[in-house]
Amino acid sequence: MATILNGKELAATLRAEQTEEIRKLAPLAGRPPGLGVILVGDDPASHAYVKNKRNACKEAGIHAPEINLPHDTTRETVMEWVDKLNADPRIDGILVQLPLPPHIPKDDILLRIDPEKDVDGFHPINVGRLVIGEDTLVPCTPTGVMTLLSRYGIPVKGKKAVVLGRSLIVGKPMALLLLAADATVTICHSKTANLSEETRQADILVAALGKPLMITKDFVKKGAVVIDVGISRNDKGKLVGDVDFDSVEPIASAITPVPGGVGPMTIATLLENTLKAYKKRNHLS
């Protein structure tokens, strides 16, 4: 039976560590860390995500003001709010919740964020730093995956890793982080020929395609570590991932559940990135 990589439990442990670190650092900085959140529109999933992030920030002692804007907010108004947060000395990280309404160009908004406050790690400057191997703010989901592997003592060095998906949010940074940890990395995507042949080579398989239950046991080598980043709802409203857990779990050596695997680690890493930016801006170790 596979080891269940319980992201929910690990995220709780990380939050406890973050809370203690903030308790010690806040008197030195004269304030707690600050995370400014901009939410545009009424997307239920976005509001749910922001609520979870708000609760996690409150638990850890992070100041997290929210700017809630209506769906018909203009691009210029969102830019103005980003500028205010960039200039606010109490704010160390800025999160613009995606997706934005179609009339607001996402790239324009993300480019406006100060790279030193870009706790999502999406700014081209931070992407470039990641590519060349500089220490920087890295997207939360792939960083959370690396933390999960590390805390569970799963070796990466010298392993064959296959990443399914090539998005800027997960797939590409995931591959770069695995490469930096000395794995041999293959990126697969919707146009990859003979996909199952590629995935069956993986010691570590990261599924981030957004295709529910696509990865069955036929795609997985016996003893592989399987990380399921996908999350969606099936016809019955149940949350499922990209991996068919029931068929894969008996042959994997370790696997993340959905829910309760990678998702909580993403929020824990958002807090960690905020704390990292806070320490850098306040010259704290």
Side-chain angles (χ1 to χ4, degrees), residues 39-225:
L39 177 59
V40 185
D42 301 311
D43 180 69
S46 291
H47 278 268
Y49 291 146
V50 168
K51 179 182 178 182
N52 289 338
K53 293 166 184 174
R54 180 197 313 134
N55 291 340
C57 286
K58 183 177 180 181
E59 181 181 338
I62 293 174
H63 170 58
E66 287 178 30
I67 296 96
N68 290 285
L69 303 172
H71 179 87
D72 60 357
T73 297
T74 64
R75 165 188 175 276
E76 288 69 30
T77 297
V78 179
M79 297 279 241
E80 288 171 6
W81 276 109
V82 171
D83 289 343
K84 288 177 183 177
L85 293 175
N86 280 337
D88 191 335
R90 301 165 299 172
I91 297 298
D92 305 286
I94 299 172
L95 169 70
V96 177
Q97 182 63 45
L98 302 177
L100 289 167
H103 66 279
I104 301 176
K106 176 190 70 174
D107 291 344
D108 288 1
I109 304 303
L110 297 181
L111 277 169
R112 194 80 165 202
I113 297 172
D114 179 349
E116 304 305 321
K117 295 187 178 187
D118 170 38
V119 288
D120 266 332
F122 295 159
H123 195 286
I125 287 178
N126 287 325
V127 174
R129 287 170 177 165
L130 173 62
V131 170
I132 65 175
E134 286 188 5
D135 183 48
T136 191
L137 295 167
V138 180
C140 298
T141 297
T143 303
V145 170
M146 296 303 293
T147 302
L148 199 60
L149 293 171
S150 175
R151 290 295 186 106
Y152 271 90
I154 294 171
V156 175
K157 185 177 182 179
K159 300 298 183 180
K160 171 73 172 178
V162 174
V163 178
L164 300 176
R166 52 181 169 177
S167 74
L168 291 174
I169 295 174
V170 181
K172 289 179 181 177
M174 186 79 257
L176 289 166
L177 289 174
L178 288 164
L179 187 63
D182 296 321
T184 299
V185 184
T186 298
I187 301 178
C188 297
H189 46 78
S190 60
K191 303 298 188 294
T192 299
N194 304 314
L195 181 61
S196 63
E197 291 182 16
E198 298 287 349
T199 59
R200 283 198 300 269
Q201 302 299 312
D203 302 307
I204 301 170
L205 179 62
V206 182
L209 287 170
K211 296 186 177 181
L213 307 180
M214 176 181 171
I215 304 304
T216 65
K217 64 180 181 180
D218 297 329
F219 287 79
V220 180
K221 179 175 75 173
K222 185 173 176 60
V225 175

Side-chain angles (χ1 to χ4, degrees), residues 3-7 148-149 152 154 225-227 254-257 260-261:
T3 298
I4 305 301
L5 304 178
N6 192 320
L148 199 60
L149 293 171
Y152 271 90
I154 294 171
V225 175
V226 180
I227 306 295
I255 189 170
T256 58

Side-chain angles (χ1 to χ4, degrees), residues 26-38:
L28 301 177
R31 63 173 180 83
L35 173 65
V37 180
I38 298 175

